[in-house]
Amino acid sequence: MQIGDPFVRHSCYSFQVLEGLRTGDFNELGLWPSRDPAEVDEPSQETLIGQFMRWKDLVKKYAGVSKMLDPREMFLLAVAVQRWPGPVLEIGTHKGITTCFVAEVMHQLKRHDQIFTIEMFLKGWKAHNGEDGFPGDSYLKALQEFRSQAVLHRVVPILGNSHELKPLIWGIRPAVIFLDGDHTRDGVADDLLLLRFFNHPYICIIHQANVPSVMQAVLDLRAGGRHRFANFHTGTAGDKGLIALTPV
Ligand SMILES: C[S@@+](CC[C@H](N)C(=O)[O-])C[C@H]1O[C@@H](n2cnc3c(N)ncnc32)[C@H](O)[C@@H]1O
């Protein structure tokens, strides 16, 4: 990664929007309107590159484990955890891979915050082909990982439907919220209701944001005008889209 790289420029611009340093100029679908990335100064690109480089080995390790989170998304998640210190909340534990990744990021940052991760888990549930999928027993692999890996003592697994756990989540006051659970429009809208009663600084990151149902729920919230908004979408093939929101 180097200065001028489109991914670096776009990510740098997006973080500046989320941090209130500039106003976003994304189109109505939350995408960057032209093929040329936004202009951002070199010192701020250098800072971001330095932060990305810190996570290079960790991203490489996790890229080999899961295809669910694109390596670029892992870099962005790590930088978000770095820039928004405090507890992390993940909705959608599944095999716990993102959870483990964030736990290692926190460990390297020498921070003591906890990671709360919510999974609805239906015991014995099988996919049509008979395999364990989510919300079935693949969650048990996550629990095994949490038990066996030393850095994961900071992980608090929570069983249940996120839509029914709002009072608990309000009490956690997470600084980073990673939404990767229910991807229906109503489901995402319901999870985003969480943000309504937060009165602390936070970043809410939404995975697979370019799926129309997810995007629509995010755009509905954006229309309320109480959030800064950035789509880290890079325009590369296979990019599922990662949107982040911060309070104005
Ligand atoms: C795409 S997977 C998450 C992948 C995970 N981040 C990982 O690294 O392996 C989505 C997960 O969210 C769970 N889920 C869906 N809706 C949920 C809800 N309302 N509350 C809690 N978990 C939910 C599903 O059971 C599934 O395990």
Side-chain angles (χ1 to χ4, degrees):
M1 275 182 229
Q2 49 193 326
I3 287 176
D5 176 305
F7 174 64
V8 171
R9 278 164 63 180
H10 184 65
S11 304
C12 198
Y13 174 85
S14 298
F15 276 119
Q16 288 189 345
V17 169
L18 292 165
E19 286 163 339
L21 298 174
R22 59 163 89 211
T23 314
D25 201 6
F26 300 98
N27 71 13
E28 67 284 0
L29 280 179
L31 300 174
W32 185 246
S34 86
R35 283 184 165 271
D36 302 321
E39 285 304 325
V40 269
D41 61 38
E42 290 198 3
S44 55
Q45 288 188 52
E46 258 172 41
T47 305
L48 185 64
I49 291 170
Q51 292 178 333
F52 280 155
M53 285 303 116
R54 181 170 187 174
W55 306 115
K56 213 171 91 196
D57 292 339
L58 198 58
V59 168
K60 205 167 163 195
K61 172 177 161 187
Y62 278 86
V65 180
S66 169
K67 298 274 170 280
M68 287 226 179
L69 207 59
D70 184 270
R72 290 179 171 208
E73 296 180 337
M74 291 186 208
F75 277 115
L76 294 166
L77 186 58
V79 171
V81 169
Q82 204 171 346
R83 292 192 182 193
W84 276 264
V88 172
L89 170 80
E90 174 186 45
I91 297 182
T93 315
H94 185 36
K95 289 186 187 164
I97 296 167
T98 323
T99 325
C100 295
F101 173 74
V102 172
E104 291 208 45
V105 168
M106 290 254 200
H107 181 71
Q108 287 192 26
L109 289 170
K110 298 196 177 14
R111 289 228 313 262
H112 299 286
D113 301 298
Q114 288 179 307
I115 303 162
F116 299 84
T117 180
I118 301 178
E119 171 57 51
M120 66 197 313
F121 179 49
L122 302 175
K123 193 172 183 309
W125 183 94
K126 297 276 179 212
H128 291 308
N129 60 8
E131 285 182 11
D132 294 348
F134 54 76
D137 290 355
S138 53
Y139 178 64
L140 302 175
K141 295 188 188 114
L143 293 184
Q144 279 164 8
E145 283 295 312
F146 298 162
R147 210 171 290 156
S148 66
Q149 287 194 37
V151 297
L152 297 175
H153 59 271
R154 64 179 79 244
V155 173
V156 183
I158 300 170
L159 269 189
N161 185 330
S162 61
H163 308 321
E164 292 158 10
L165 292 168
K166 288 192 189 64
L168 173 73
I169 299 172
W170 285 322
I172 292 170
R173 290 167 61 87
V176 177
I177 303 119
F178 182 63
L179 286 193
D180 192 14
D182 185 340
H183 290 88
T184 64
R185 180 175 179 174
D186 288 350
V188 176
D190 194 279
D191 282 335
L192 289 174
L193 283 178
L194 283 168
L195 308 182
R196 191 183 287 189
F197 293 108
F198 285 156
N199 59 0
H200 63 282
Y202 63 81
I203 180 167
C204 176
I205 300 174
I206 301 140
H207 189 228
Q208 297 207 326
N210 292 336
V211 173
S213 54
V214 177
M215 175 66 87
Q216 201 48 59
V218 175
L219 293 181
D220 290 345
L221 181 86
R222 183 196 185 195
R226 293 172 59 193
H227 288 91
R228 301 188 194 109
F229 166 94
N231 191 343
F232 286 99
H233 180 77
T234 54
T236 51
D239 185 338
K240 299 190 199 87
L242 197 71
I243 278 183
L245 303 162
T246 55
V248 170

